[in-house]
Amino acid sequence: MLIAHLSDLHIRPQGVLYQGLVDSNKMCKQAIEHLHALRPRPDVVIITGDLVDEGLPAEYEMAKMLLAGIEQPLLLIPGNHDDRARFRAAFAEQSLAASEGPLHFVAAGLGPVRIIGLDITVPGQHHGDMDEAAQAWLEGALAQEPERPTLIMLHQPPFLSGIPYIDPYACFNAQRLARTVERYPAVERVVCGHVHRAMQLRFGGTLLCTAPSTTTAIGLALEPGAEEASYLEPPALLLHHWKPDTGLITHWVPIGAFPGPMPFA
């Protein structure tokens, strides 16, 4: 099973640049074109939040138009830049789990890996929160098929990266998530967005990784007093490949055209 993982598209209204500088809509289109060129083609596409930049109706109209080009089943969760109500209305055909409140879901019919979407966003805030209600919901979802290979997707990462200007906006109460995941060894991966960089670490007895953005990268600045900055590094996506003999393998896939192929390996 192949799971393509995009994140932090920051789609803007037609003709408007992200932060007044970057054509995030064009970069989103390029990411989808690259996605279509992958062989074999992914079975499902997931997006871990920040579909749009300001939660505007015009942004969701553009997002629907751009994402309509994805031919595979598409699973989405909101990020801190999304508006939950407008997100729900824009993608109502996806049978989002609740008519109000967090947009959690369980997708178990797309292949051997069950995909769980966990909406930990806090409306009006940039941080996330693994509150008691989210913990109880996740516990119930995992308990339905405790031995099934599972990927959990959320937006804000439940750890401190060391980048001083992004860490205040992590997922609060991360220990609740870690304790829950520890009880279910079949959780192959916890995946996040938000930090616009690829990172990986052990978490809750499994592996956690963050996805790069399809637009700008947040600067890798580990000095305590570093000033916030972003860069036009090569955009990328993640490709999670599940095989019975290995479990889940995660590949970092740069987006674009590169010299090759060359006759050696």
Side-chain angles (χ1 to χ4, degrees):
M1 182 178 180
L2 284 172
I3 303 167
H5 179 185
L6 306 177
S7 198
D8 296 270
L9 312 181
H10 288 276
I11 292 168
R12 303 281 2 245
Q14 178 76 42
V16 179
L17 298 179
Y18 172 50
Q19 299 296 321
L21 296 170
V22 179
D23 193 344
S24 57
N25 294 356
K26 179 180 178 181
M27 297 177 82
C28 176
K29 289 180 64 176
Q30 292 170 338
I32 293 171
E33 290 168 0
H34 196 96
L35 181 71
H36 287 163
L38 294 174
R39 294 294 182 273
R41 302 190 70 184
D43 299 294
V44 60
V45 178
I46 66 174
I47 303 179
T48 46
D50 282 359
L51 272 67
V52 306
D53 191 49
E54 296 184 1
L56 302 174
E59 291 178 329
Y60 284 109
E61 291 175 11
M62 180 58 60
K64 282 182 66 69
M65 184 174 72
L66 290 171
L67 299 182
I70 295 177
E71 299 171 0
Q72 294 91 338
L74 179 62
L75 301 176
L76 312 166
I77 55 170
N80 54 295
H81 283 263
D82 287 299
D83 179 277
R84 188 181 277 165
R86 290 171 180 163
F87 184 105
R88 176 184 281 110
F91 299 100
E93 70 278 5
Q94 296 210 353
S95 301
L96 299 172
S99 59
E100 59 183 21
L103 296 172
H104 308 316
F105 67 80
V106 178
L110 300 173
V113 178
R114 171 180 55 175
I115 300 174
I116 293 178
L118 188 64
D119 177 8
I120 55 163
T121 58
V122 180
Q125 303 294 325
H126 288 299
H127 69 271
D129 188 11
M130 186 68 182
D131 59 19
E132 292 181 354
Q135 182 183 26
W137 183 90
L138 179 61
E139 180 79 41
L142 289 169
Q144 291 174 14
E145 294 183 89
E147 298 181 358
R148 181 167 183 172
T150 297
L151 179 148
I152 300 172
M153 50 189 286
L154 57 154
H155 183 63
Q156 291 94 341
F159 68 94
L160 299 181
S161 69
I163 300 175
Y165 45 81
I166 196 67
D167 281 346
Y169 310 121
C171 172
F172 293 3
N173 295 305
Q175 72 281 0
R176 289 180 177 141
L177 178 60
R179 287 196 301 263
T180 302
V181 170
E182 282 175 345
R183 291 194 287 272
Y184 295 91
V187 174
E188 292 270 354
R189 202 74 88 247
V190 177
V191 301
C192 312
H194 191 55
V195 292
H196 290 222
R197 299 204 65 84
M199 306 178 191
Q200 58 182 338
L201 69 156
R202 291 196 61 80
F203 177 85
T206 187
L207 296 178
L208 183 151
C209 61
T210 68
S213 170
T214 59
T215 180
T216 54
I218 287 176
L220 180 57
L222 301 177
E223 303 88 354
E227 295 185 3
E228 60 182 61
S230 291
Y231 295 85
L232 271 175
E233 297 180 6
L237 57 89
L238 298 182
L239 188 66
H240 307 289
H241 183 196
W242 187 85
K243 302 189 298 173
D245 58 338
T246 60
L248 205 63
I249 304 169
T250 295
H251 302 273
W252 178 85
V253 183
I255 294 167
F258 306 97
M262 300 176 187
F264 57 84

